[in-house]
């Protein structure tokens, strides 16, 4: 796989509805798209770093400059045989996993297209349909949240996850359970609590939740293990799991019983597969998290979700929940039963709409080898 050049683009996409977590509200996304140009084939990747360093320490500006100054030049100097060879090339750069994943995933995309095989098969997936859940942000009122849940259940989604924080948790869960005693329900705190809140966190046990996601510090495993011993509700870790070693530490210490895998958070498909395998070997189910992705990242999440141990509905849902118009064709759709059908076409099975991307682009830069420029 000779990589001749890499194109970076920043596109702006307003969200159909704002998305609020315990760390803030987002009205629109600044998305970094990466195109790798390999011997006549283009591979696309999406860097899921946010507009701000709030979910993680990475954000779009660190990702852009890390790719431009370090990761891009490092990969352009090599002739890789496979996207799998990316990780060792990137290893001298510490952290910056979302930036790394943006390139690595673009290379997997290119590799699948070169081989004329579906990306999901190249990754080792086995599932032909993906069970879908939704992540619903904090709303202005509980009534608005109940309306949204009503809409998503009617659309067929198989699991509802709500965002919680102090002041928007027990009171809200009570209202949801009063109306829907049986639905598969979970919540995500994005680190809104500490161990001082133990008595409060015990109250979550009454709601028969599938899980509580990332209740404590974003970089913590040890205190989650202490908390898991005190509550019945299964803890799921998101932010704390940066790689397969974290996953092993978390499941072996009992810090969680479920793991959320985000391919960007762990640094790309190679590491995501390792996290998957570690969890599978400990009989810990995983599901695919979301980062308000455009179609490019969304279709990569679909491919990843076909791996065997993705046993729970993920946060991968229909394009129209986020975007007036998505940058892929067709858009991602979800069946009335709450599944995404996986297709057998080469690559992601979706076409990237370059014309629309051009219109949404606010910044564009091409990186080539130093030799080619000389
Ligand atoms: O914690 O899962 C999270 C979005 C941005 C940052 C963090 C998270 C989320 C979501 C959204 O929950 C999931 C989605 O893409 O719908
Ligand atoms: Mg989360």
């Amino acid at each position: 796989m000779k990589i001749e050049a890499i194109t970076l683009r920043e596109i702006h996409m307003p969200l159909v509805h704002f998305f609020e977590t315990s760390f803030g509200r987002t009205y629109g996304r600044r998305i970094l798209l990466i195109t790798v140009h390999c011997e006549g084939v283009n591979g696309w990747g999406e860097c899921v770093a946010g507009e701000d360093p709030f979910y993680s320490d990475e954000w779009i500006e660190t990702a852009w400059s890390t790719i431009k100054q370090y990761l891009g030049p490092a990969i352009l100097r090599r002739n890789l045989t496979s996207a799998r060879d990316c990780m060792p090339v990137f290893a001298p750069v510490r952290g910056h996993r979302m930036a790394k994943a943006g390139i690595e995933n673009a290379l997997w995309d290119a590799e699948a297209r070169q081989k004329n095989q579906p990306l999901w098969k190249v990754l080792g997936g086995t599932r032909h349909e993906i069970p879908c859940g939704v992540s619903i942000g904090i709303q202005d009122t509980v009534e608005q949240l109940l309306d949204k849940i009503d809409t998503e259940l009617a659309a067929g989604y198989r699991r509802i996850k709500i965002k919680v924080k102090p002041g928007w948790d027990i009171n809200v869960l009570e209202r949801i359970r009063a109306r829907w005693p049986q639905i598969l329900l979970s919540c995500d705190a994005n680190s809104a609590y500490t161990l001082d809140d133990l008595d409060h966190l015990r109250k979550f046990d009454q709601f028969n939740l599938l899980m509580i996601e990332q209740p404590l510090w974003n970089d913590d495993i040890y205190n989650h293990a202490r908390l898991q011993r005190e509550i019945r509700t299964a803890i799921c870790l998101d932010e704390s799991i940066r790689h397969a070693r974290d996953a092993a530490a978390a499941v072996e210490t009992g810090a969680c019983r479920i793991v959320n895998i985000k391919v960007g958070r762990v640094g790309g498909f190679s590491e995501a597969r390792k996290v998957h395998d570690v969890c599978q070997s400990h009989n810990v189910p995983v599901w695919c998290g979301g980062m308000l992705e455009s179609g490019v990242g969304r279709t990569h999440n679909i491919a990843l979700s076909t791996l065997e141990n993705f046993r729970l509905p993920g946060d991968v849902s229909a394009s129209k929940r986020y975007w007036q118009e998505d940058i892929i064709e067709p858009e991602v759709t979800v069946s009335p039963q709450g599944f995404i059908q996986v297709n057998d076409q080469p690559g992601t099975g979706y076409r990237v709409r370059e014309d629309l991307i051009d219109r949404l682009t606010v910044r564009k830069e091409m990186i080539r080898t130093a030799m080619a420029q000389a």
Side-chain angles (χ1 to χ4, degrees):
M1 287 179 95
K2 193 165 163 24
I3 305 150
E4 287 110 15
I6 300 171
T7 303
L8 301 184
R9 280 190 186 82
E10 177 181 341
I11 60 169
H12 286 190
M13 293 177 81
L15 285 164
V16 167
H17 190 267
F18 68 78
F19 190 80
E20 183 172 329
T21 65
S22 61
F23 52 77
R25 192 179 272 198
T26 310
Y27 289 92
R29 296 289 333 278
R30 294 173 65 193
I31 294 173
L32 168 49
L33 294 178
I34 296 123
T35 321
V36 292
H37 308 276
C38 312
E39 297 156 322
V41 172
N42 286 343
W44 287 83
E46 174 168 347
C47 173
V48 300
E51 293 70 41
D52 307 290
F54 298 163
Y55 166 82
S56 101
D57 46 14
E58 288 187 83
W59 60 301
I60 181 167
E61 297 294 340
T62 64
W64 186 291
S65 46
T66 304
I67 291 173
K68 182 182 166 184
Q69 296 189 40
Y70 295 98
L71 306 176
I75 211 82
L76 284 166
R77 272 187 245 110
R78 310 294 168 108
N79 192 357
L80 305 179
T81 49
S82 161
R84 235 175 301 156
D85 303 337
C86 243
M87 277 187 77
V89 176
F90 291 161
V93 175
R94 291 206 175 145
H96 297 281
R97 285 176 294 275
M98 293 177 179
K100 291 173 180 174
I103 300 188
E104 196 199 294
N105 296 353
L107 285 168
W108 280 95
D109 193 61
E111 185 173 336
R113 284 173 209 266
Q114 277 183 353
K115 291 179 169 163
N116 217 26
Q117 283 174 17
L119 175 62
W120 65 273
K121 281 196 182 155
V122 176
L123 288 170
T126 53
R127 293 174 189 277
H128 293 261
E129 53 178 23
I130 306 299
C132 304
V134 289
S135 172
I136 307 181
I138 294 164
Q139 306 296 316
D140 289 326
T141 65
V142 181
E143 286 67 31
Q144 279 171 4
L145 177 67
L146 297 177
D147 278 350
K148 283 207 165 292
I149 294 174
D150 203 32
T151 305
E152 305 297 11
L153 290 172
Y157 286 102
R158 308 181 73 83
R159 185 224 60 202
I160 301 290
K161 153 177 149 185
I162 66 156
K163 293 289 185 178
V164 291
K165 63 175 183 181
W168 182 275
D169 49 16
I170 302 301
N171 51 334
V172 176
L173 290 166
E174 269 169 357
R175 297 278 301 275
I176 297 172
R177 274 303 186 215
R179 184 147 160 204
W180 296 284
Q182 300 294 346
I183 58 168
L184 210 50
L185 180 66
S186 70
C187 69
D188 185 358
N190 291 109
S191 304
Y193 304 94
T194 74
L195 276 184
D196 292 340
D197 301 311
L198 180 57
D199 287 336
H200 183 69
L201 289 167
R202 283 187 216 280
K203 295 185 192 149
F204 285 67
D205 280 346
Q206 67 189 289
F207 300 111
N208 186 29
L209 300 176
L210 179 62
M211 68 190 97
I212 177 169
E213 189 178 338
Q214 199 70 36
L216 308 177
W217 303 271
N218 69 290
D219 58 356
D220 172 81
I221 291 175
Y222 175 71
N223 290 288
H224 281 96
R226 291 171 69 190
L227 176 62
Q228 183 68 94
R229 287 196 287 273
E230 300 294 328
I231 62 175
R232 268 186 292 120
T233 307
I235 293 177
C236 170
L237 289 178
D238 173 355
E239 284 89 327
S240 298
I241 307 297
R242 300 162 300 174
H243 38 59
R245 282 182 297 103
D246 278 341
V251 301
E252 286 171 21
T253 57
C256 64
R257 297 189 197 133
I258 297 173
V259 170
N260 165 331
I261 299 184
K262 288 180 181 164
V263 61
R265 194 195 66 226
V266 302
F269 281 131
S270 301
E271 193 67 22
R273 293 202 303 186
K274 289 186 192 164
V275 174
H276 166 274
D277 293 352
V278 164
C279 294
Q280 188 166 34
S281 70
H282 288 81
N283 198 25
V284 167
V286 304
W287 53 279
C288 185
M291 291 290 284
L292 312 175
E293 287 93 345
S294 78
V296 170
R298 193 165 300 281
T299 54
H300 287 186
N301 288 342
I302 294 169
L304 182 67
S305 303
T306 63
L307 300 194
E308 199 182 353
N309 194 39
F310 281 84
R311 280 187 272 156
L312 296 171
D315 278 350
V316 184
S317 57
S319 298
K320 69 172 182 205
R321 294 190 61 246
Y322 306 83
W323 319 115
Q324 208 82 55
E325 222 183 347
D326 203 347
I327 58 172
I328 51 162
E329 206 173 54
E331 301 200 332
V332 173
T333 55
V334 171
S335 73
Q337 292 74 37
F339 290 92
I340 294 171
Q341 302 302 321
V342 181
N343 72 56
D344 278 328
Q345 288 162 41
T348 61
Y350 296 79
R351 190 182 73 82
V352 175
R353 294 178 59 185
E354 293 194 48
D355 53 334
L356 176 57
I357 290 174
D358 279 341
R359 273 184 277 140
L360 299 173
T361 298
V362 298
R363 171 161 62 145
K364 182 173 172 178
E365 204 168 322
M366 196 177 249
I367 315 169
R368 294 174 191 279
T369 51
M371 271 190 301
Q373 282 166 353

